Amino acid sequence: MSIPSRHFDALIIGAGGAGLNAALQLASADVRVAVVSKVFPTRSHTVAAQGGVNAALANVLPDNWHWHMFDTVKGSDYLGDQDAIEFMCREAIPTVYELEHAGVPFSRLDNGKIYQRAFGGQSQDFGGDQAARTCAAADRTGHAILHTLYQQNIRARTHFFDEFFALDLVRDKDGVIAGALVLEIETGEPLLIEAKATLLATGGCGQVFRTTSNAHINTGDGCAMALRAGIPLMDMEFYQFHPTGIAGKGMLITEGVRGEGGFLVNKDGERFMERYAPRAKDLASRDVVSRSIVTEVKEGRGAGENGDYILLKLDHLGAEVIDKRLPGIRESSRIFAGADPIREPIPVFPTAHYAMGGIPTDRFGRVVVPVGSGSEQVVAGLYAAGECACASVHGANRLGGNSLLDILVFGRLAGKDIIDFVRENPYQRSVDPASLEEAMSRLTRWDQKGGGVPAHQLRAEFRKCMEDHAGVFRTEEVMAEGYQRLCELRDQFKDARLTDHSKVFNTARIEALELQNLIDVGLSIAVSALHRKESRGAHSRPDYPNRDDVHWMKHSLYYREADRMDYKPVRTKPLTVESFPPKERVY
Amino acid sequence: MKISVYRYNPDTDQKPRMQDYEVRPFQGMMLRDALLEIKKQDESFAFRHSCGEGVCGSDGVNANGKNCLACVTPITELSQPIVVRPFPGRPVIRDLVVDMTQFYEHYRAVKPYLVRTDPLPEQEILQSPEDRDKLDGLYECILCGCCSTACPSFWWNPEKFHGPAALLQAWRFLADTRDQATEERLDALEGPYKLFRCHTIMNCVEVCPKGLNPTRAIGLIKDLMLEKGF
């Protein structure tokens, strides 16, 4: 087997905000960096982030990073690691200024400073009045940031491999990660990219669910590659359902709508969030709002012919505010819901949105795995950042505006750490042929001909099963049944076949490769959820309705081998300030 | 509902052909939904797509002779039978997938990034809301390529004329009060081709799925050149 190879100091898989911010650090430091992306970089899903990025700039209302930290810890339902959270909230401020200097067209206040809006779960003074912490470029903040980062990478002459699909990580004889085997989509030919350090920045996995705000490309590729490399995934049961997806379709309607003064009503026109969160109302944390919406619909107060959605009202904001601050939302709502929000409310329902869990890392983006009892070890040369990683700053529930922040801060830091790593480890490791062969088998397996279940059919069944059995409310019975069915589908995957065996731009083959990733990551969510017998953040169990800090204030670790679970403690000690002890979480 | 799509797979086909598919329409169906339905019937059919909501810019195609973004084009807006082809003027890789390399090269050529020569402040560079408003209608470009591949000047001179998408971005940075490379940017656009091959045919404006106006941006670049005595 002769596979062409290329050599770089650093390999980054994924060209969203995390990957591009890491690449920018590396290229600017004259480190030879390759960015592999299965789509042209500006197609990455960071582009779809709407509302903004949190940083305590205090441009609109008083603020400081410590309040931001408190809100994030509380929002995480006390499952987030407080050292990483302190670090992120401190770094938020210089990170946003750096982005602005790089050219991001942030909206502006009259005094020329960056515009900031209110978002859910934000407070002043440790749980006091609403804060305004989310820095926004209208409602296209992700687009503005992703394009700017790509542009700066053009300036820095980063080496891009556009439309290359990562098949698997490869190792040397000692088991150390030495790069990845990738597939050039246009030619259908494999390419080995050898690197001293590899960063997984592959983004989310929302495609494991049928109705999602996530793009077609969000198939958890990096998480699945880590699993196959024997690395566990952390806290995967905590999957966020965004309260306001367009009903029946799933496209995102930003929390910024409520931040600008929009609110939710049921079929009776009642502003029902006042009952569930008397103080924060529509700007309660996302898990709280999603559960409230599902409860309203279940209890017969949903709007529409089938009573299966809720209405998001913003016409009272007036055309001027909507066109200035929420132009993208107006456009989306008109196209996909047939409703112009200047005149009528938008029909919404929760949509699968964001994985709080992922590949376990420390705050420098280095992948860490447990060794022996209680201690952890860095996986040499392997990094993860962005939605595929878990630092863990979101714990059991992420606050709006903290995901763009997460990708930028940890992407940047991973880049900086890789610079040091490749200086200290200047020699390339040689790839073990056995490891390469194993990675190659992922691809050649699809050359098999004959009967068997079509891959696209299996993909649809799997996503439906995840939606039905691992959604907003989860009981033992429903989840156990779901797990069994998912296992059956996993077995069927062995016999899945393609009819198209051509090479050039074979998208059926790419989707089949993604299917394997979806199955691996979907199972990690289902198994982790089944084991956690409490309700915390986004993981809500009617059969265990309370948070159980005695038994469950710990991180889950899921291993692919035999669907095994392990656990590790939450890091409750911040870097420089006092710890925030767990309290009852009310909004 | 009948849809006729352009098919070409270099692995198996001598030459391109049109192939008809029967697709069942539904309320709110977009062209992308119809293409996905075809993909379900025939997995060998290839096209790019991702976000499904008009922000990633992946699924630009030519439907009934006009470039559009499939995910935000309602089926009801297209007369039947719907004929879907790849973008005109680009080399076809397979089916609706075209080679956009040249388009991206022109984008890179206009140096589409903010240039600052002054020392950076500790906080943000200040910009008034009015100055920031000048970027509206420019920064929203999603690089889908609908405009440049609908432009006759780009068809004739794809190596030399930057095309509407790249020139819109050239103006996006010229219009940014924070940018400090105006002279260099204008210098780089001089000559008969890069900028001046625009003959204000305005196909770009007609097809832009985000409602942007590259022709206007090109005009403003020309005005600025005059003003600066180029």
Side-chain angles (χ1 to χ4, degrees), chain A residues 174-210:
Chain A
D174 301 326
V176 179
I177 305 292
L181 181 67
V182 304
L183 175 73
E184 182 174 16
I185 298 174
E186 182 178 335
T187 61
E189 298 295 341
L191 172 70
L192 174 63
I193 300 186
E194 298 181 66
K196 297 160 195 168
T198 302
L199 169 66
L200 296 169
T202 54
C205 58
Q207 286 288 318
V208 299
F209 296 100
R210 189 178 59 162

Side-chain angles (χ1 to χ4, degrees), chain A residues 278-334:
Chain A
R279 193 183 163 97
K281 302 189 182 83
D282 296 86
L283 286 178
S285 202
R286 285 181 180 172
D287 54 338
V288 176
V289 180
S290 284
R291 277 195 292 277
S292 307
I293 293 174
V294 174
T295 304
E296 287 297 296
V297 165
K298 271 192 177 159
E299 293 180 356
R301 291 186 293 277
E305 221 167 88
N306 302 315
D308 55 359
Y309 57 77
I310 282 299
L311 298 168
L312 176 59
K313 194 175 136 40
L314 64 156
D315 58 309
H316 57 281
L317 301 180
E320 201 181 325
V321 169
I322 292 174
D323 283 338
K324 184 91 189 159
R325 302 294 183 209
L326 304 163
I329 287 308
R330 186 177 180 203
E331 188 184 331
S332 279
S333 178
R334 284 159 79 171

Side-chain angles (χ1 to χ4, degrees), chain A residues 16-18 21 45-55 68 72 88 92 95 99 119 122 134 141-142 145 203-204 213-214 240 242 252 254-255 286 353-356 385-389 393-394 397-411:
Chain A
N21 211 17
H45 202 51
T46 298
V47 81
Q50 299 173 351
V53 49
N54 292 341
H68 182 188
T72 304
M88 178 178 78
T95 299
L99 277 177
F119 245 51
Q122 297 180 351
T134 306
T141 316
I145 289 174
S213 65
N214 282 200
Q240 179 167 82
H242 193 290
L252 185 67
T254 175
E255 191 168 302
R286 285 181 180 172
H353 186 55
Y354 184 86
M356 269 73 75
E387 189 173 338
C388 73
V393 286
H394 310 304
N397 173 68
R398 174 175 70 77
L399 294 187
N402 268 357
S403 60
L404 282 176
L405 179 59
D406 171 3
I407 65 176
L408 296 165
V409 166
F410 293 103

Side-chain angles (χ1 to χ4, degrees), chain A residues 186, chain B residues 90 98-108:
Chain A
E186 182 178 335
Chain B
R90 297 288 89 211
V98 292
D99 184 346
M100 294 294 280
T101 309
Q102 212 165 32
F103 171 82
Y104 297 133
E105 277 169 2
H106 282 293
Y107 174 68
R108 296 170 74 102

Side-chain angles (χ1 to χ4, degrees), chain B residues 203-225:
Chain B
N203 280 5
C204 53
V205 183
E206 198 192 332
V207 298
C208 177
K210 305 309 281 184
L212 311 180
N213 191 332
T215 307
R216 182 176 165 273
I218 291 166
L220 291 167
I221 298 174
K222 290 177 181 170
D223 290 350
L224 186 63
M225 279 184 164

Side-chain angles (χ1 to χ4, degrees), chain A residues 59-250:
Chain A
N59 286 356
V60 173
L61 292 171
D63 208 354
N64 70 58
W65 65 263
H66 202 186
W67 301 348
H68 182 188
M69 177 187 172
F70 168 80
D71 290 339
T72 304
V73 172
K74 178 183 171 187
S76 82
D77 222 348
Y78 300 91
L79 195 78
D81 286 346
Q82 297 195 19
D83 52 351
I85 294 174
E86 177 183 341
F87 181 74
M88 178 178 78
C89 296
R90 282 175 174 273
E91 284 290 311
I93 297 163
T95 299
V96 167
Y97 288 142
E98 186 176 279
L99 277 177
E100 194 280 328
H101 297 165
V104 173
F106 282 111
S107 300
R108 298 289 171 153
L109 298 162
D110 285 340
N111 63 8
K113 288 177 173 248
I114 295 170
Y115 172 73
Q116 296 190 282
R117 60 162 57 110
F119 245 51
Q122 297 180 351
S123 72
Q124 300 179 49
D125 204 17
F126 311 106
D129 291 345
Q130 176 72 42
R133 190 174 293 140
T134 306
C135 309
D139 58 357
R140 305 186 180 99
T141 316
H143 171 283
I145 289 174
L146 185 69
H147 279 253
T148 300
L149 287 174
Y150 180 61
Q151 291 160 351
Q152 289 295 333
N153 272 284
I154 291 175
R155 180 190 55 76
R157 297 190 302 277
T158 300
H159 200 112
F160 283 98
F161 288 84
D162 297 335
E163 295 186 328
F164 281 68
F165 182 88
L167 290 162
D168 247 336
L169 298 170
V170 291
R171 299 172 177 279
D172 73 353
K173 283 250 190 280
D174 301 326
V176 179
I177 305 292
L181 181 67
V182 304
L183 175 73
E184 182 174 16
I185 298 174
E186 182 178 335
T187 61
E189 298 295 341
L191 172 70
L192 174 63
I193 300 186
E194 298 181 66
K196 297 160 195 168
T198 302
L199 169 66
L200 296 169
T202 54
C205 58
Q207 286 288 318
V208 299
F209 296 100
R210 189 178 59 162
T211 308
T212 174
S213 65
N214 282 200
H216 182 71
I217 55 172
N218 299 127
T219 50
D221 301 342
C223 289
M225 278 188 271
L227 278 177
R228 285 192 294 270
I231 292 158
L233 295 185
M234 175 164 144
D235 293 341
M236 290 304 284
E237 64 271 44
F238 300 104
Y239 198 89
Q240 179 167 82
F241 292 82
H242 193 290
T244 57
I246 292 179
K249 309 219 162 146

